[in-house]
């Protein structure tokens, strides 16, 4: 069965960076795009971008351009999302999601359990 | 950017009743690339519907989606106790992907 297991909660100071990992199992890692979505406390869902796990190509939401970097390590079926220059309003649960369709960017079928990132001085 | 507006914000119903949730897009969605998600407190969202009307794997047939262009609907034919949650619509017609603000379905 498909599983996405994310790294644990992090507490960071403003201006720092955070790197969240997402280990995939139960399917061919390079066959599906990985997308990242975040959710601030008590708020809605916000798309951050995607990574083509096959060739490493990325597409980021304009809001995060210059601050977010999505990478992957195919040898260990793991995707990463790094966010820099953290601010207090980056406090959120960050989710990795596996795409619905193989080799295509569509919507989010499988979700990780979420990683809480807290930004506070 | 496509803005999705859901209505109502809160829907109060009883188990056994029919629920109708709406999602309006600021511009027409190509190929009806509209999905619905259900989220329970403290959990990750769950995909219910994709492509406007296709149920995701394992989703009961009391959930159905319809619509086209800019107006979409999620219908739950007969509410079960486990259906009370927050529901989000999401478009994948264009980038950036966007979500509606959510509709909270609560027990009356």
């Amino acid at each position: 069965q498909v599983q996405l297991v994310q790294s644990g909660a992090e507490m960071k100071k403003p201006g720092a960076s955070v790197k969240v990992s997402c280990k995939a199992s139960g399917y061919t890692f390079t066959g599906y795009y990985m997308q990242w979505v975040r959710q601030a406390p008590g708020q809605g869902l916000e798309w951050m971008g995607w990574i083509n796990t096959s060739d490493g190509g990325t597409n980021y939401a304009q809001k995060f351009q210059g601050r977010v970097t999505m990478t992957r390590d195919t040898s260990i079926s793991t995707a990463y999302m790094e966010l820099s220059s953290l601010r207090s309003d980056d406090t959120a649960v960050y989710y990795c999601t596996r795409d619905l369709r193989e080799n295509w960017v569509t919507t989010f079928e499988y979700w990780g359990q979420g990683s809480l990132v807290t930004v506070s001085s | 950017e496509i803005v999705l507006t859901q209505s109502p914000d809160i829907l109060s119903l009883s188990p056994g009743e029919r629920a109708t949730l709406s999602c309006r897009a600021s511009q027409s969605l190509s190929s009806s690339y509209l999905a619905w998600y259900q989220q329970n407190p403290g959990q990750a969202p769950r995909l219910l519907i994709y492509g406007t009307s296709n149920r995701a794997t394992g989703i009961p047939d009391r959930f159905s989606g319809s619509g086209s262009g800019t107006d979409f609907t999620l219908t739950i034919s007969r509410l079960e106790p486990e259906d009370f949650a927050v529901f989000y619509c999401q478009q994948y017609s264009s980038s950036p992907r966007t979500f509606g603000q959510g509709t909270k379905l609560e027990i009356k």
Side-chain angles (χ1 to χ4, degrees):
Chain A
Q1 73 284 18
V2 174
Q3 279 196 304
L4 302 174
V5 179
Q6 298 184 223
S7 48
E10 301 253 20
M11 184 160 288
K12 296 290 182 181
K13 293 194 182 305
S17 297
V18 69
K19 190 171 186 176
V20 179
S21 67
C22 172
K23 182 167 178 60
S25 61
Y27 71 97
T28 303
F29 179 70
T30 53
Y32 293 81
Y33 285 68
M34 197 76 80
Q35 305 197 55
W36 291 83
V37 173
R38 76 176 187 179
Q39 186 171 37
Q43 302 301 309
L45 300 163
E46 183 175 34
W47 178 75
M48 299 182 70
W50 54 250
I51 181 167
N52 180 334
T53 53
S54 180
D55 66 11
T58 55
N59 179 34
Y60 304 139
Q62 179 104 9
K63 174 177 180 175
F64 301 103
Q65 288 275 1
R67 286 208 303 142
V68 70
T69 304
M70 295 178 189
T71 57
R72 91 283 188 232
D73 184 338
T74 59
S75 69
I76 55 172
S77 300
T78 300
Y80 302 91
M81 186 285 300
E82 184 170 21
L83 190 62
S84 62
S85 303
L86 290 169
R87 307 184 287 256
S88 58
D89 61 359
D90 290 318
T91 294
V93 175
Y94 290 77
Y95 293 103
C96 61
T97 76
R98 197 209 78 172
D99 207 282
L100 172 67
R101 295 294 190 211
E102 194 168 5
N103 297 320
W104 200 9
V105 189
T106 59
T107 194
F108 325 113
E109 183 177 21
Y110 292 96
W111 295 64
Q113 83 277 17
S115 299
L116 175 62
V117 175
T118 304
V119 183
S120 174
S121 55
Chain B
E1 173 175 322
I2 296 177
V3 176
L4 299 179
T5 304
Q6 293 184 238
S7 61
D9 288 331
I10 301 174
L11 183 58
S12 300
L13 294 170
S14 300
E17 290 192 293
R18 181 185 185 90
T20 302
L21 287 68
S22 295
C23 177
R24 175 163 290 178
S26 60
Q27 55 189 277
S28 184
L29 303 186
S30 61
S31 303
S32 296
Y33 286 151
L34 191 284
W36 290 93
Y37 292 83
Q38 177 188 38
Q39 187 177 33
N40 289 299
Q43 295 185 16
R46 175 175 72 148
L47 177 64
L48 297 174
I49 301 286
Y50 64 93
T52 297
S53 60
N54 301 287
R55 275 188 300 277
T57 302
I59 302 303
D61 60 8
R62 64 179 181 273
F63 291 91
S64 63
S66 62
S68 65
T70 61
D71 290 294
F72 300 86
T73 300
L74 174 70
T75 301
I76 310 171
S77 60
R78 190 175 169 83
L79 286 166
E80 298 286 342
E82 63 267 27
D83 296 339
F84 293 89
V86 178
F87 293 83
Y88 296 94
C89 59
Q90 181 256 329
Q91 65 82 19
Y92 51 106
S93 174
S94 67
S95 193
R97 308 314 199 209
T98 51
F99 292 87
Q101 83 280 10
T103 290
K104 182 178 182 180
L105 177 57
E106 64 177 26
I107 299 177
K108 188 173 182 180

